[in-house]
Amino acid sequence: MAKVKIGAAGIETISGALKRPKKLNGHNHGNYLVATHRTAASTNPDCQRIYSFASDRYERSTVPQAKELAARARFASVAAAVKARSKDLMQQATDIADFLAQKDTAGGKKTMKAYLWKVCGDAYDAALAGA
């Protein structure tokens, strides 16, 4: 989905996918239309670009390797653990206290969600190493 900034004179910037191909009967119809807006400082006045790509642009050409499949499995497992742990009322008081204790240390996580991802990720890795 594209992000549009509208000013007094109309559209100022557009960034993101303006159009995506529609999949019907197993194949794609249409193409991608993507707009980019550069926000970095530059002397070049051209900061808005629009690209058109074929409908198969983002199709994978290779089979996922074992390392990638393992990373996907880890991500799914840790995401589910973070979601469950954030809703566990019995664990929240301990998590908040531990989060606040590590927050201002070197390498400490600055948000609760990042802290939970670290804790659950470390638990996943420890369980995998112990298995």
Side-chain angles (χ1 to χ4, degrees):
M1 174 164 287
K3 293 182 181 179
V4 178
K5 182 178 178 184
I6 299 175
I11 296 175
E12 290 183 7
T13 63
I14 301 173
S15 183
L18 301 172
K19 180 179 175 287
R20 292 189 174 127
K22 184 183 281 188
K23 191 165 195 167
L24 292 172
N25 301 325
H27 62 281
N28 293 330
H29 295 272
N31 58 358
Y32 286 95
L33 191 60
V34 179
T36 61
H37 176 73
R38 184 186 67 240
T39 57
S42 174
T43 58
N44 187 345
D46 300 327
C47 60
Q48 187 74 37
R49 296 206 169 110
I50 296 180
Y51 302 95
S52 179
F53 301 118
S55 62
D56 62 348
R57 165 82 177 212
Y58 299 108
E59 287 184 12
R60 188 181 188 113
S61 62
T62 60
V63 177
Q65 296 177 348
K67 184 177 179 181
E68 182 180 347
L69 293 174
R72 288 181 186 182
R74 182 184 188 277
F75 181 86
S77 180
V78 173
V82 167
K83 184 176 181 181
R85 188 167 178 151
S86 66
K87 292 181 180 180
D88 185 8
L89 297 177
M90 301 297 287
Q91 189 73 34
Q92 275 187 355
T94 305
D95 283 342
I96 291 171
D98 293 344
F99 166 70
L100 292 175
Q102 64 84 44
K103 180 180 172 186
D104 295 326
T105 62
K109 300 300 179 186
K110 302 300 180 197
T111 65
M112 186 66 170
K113 185 160 294 255
Y115 172 74
L116 289 177
W117 270 90
K118 181 184 180 329
V119 169
C120 294
D122 291 346
Y124 178 86
D125 294 340
L128 198 63

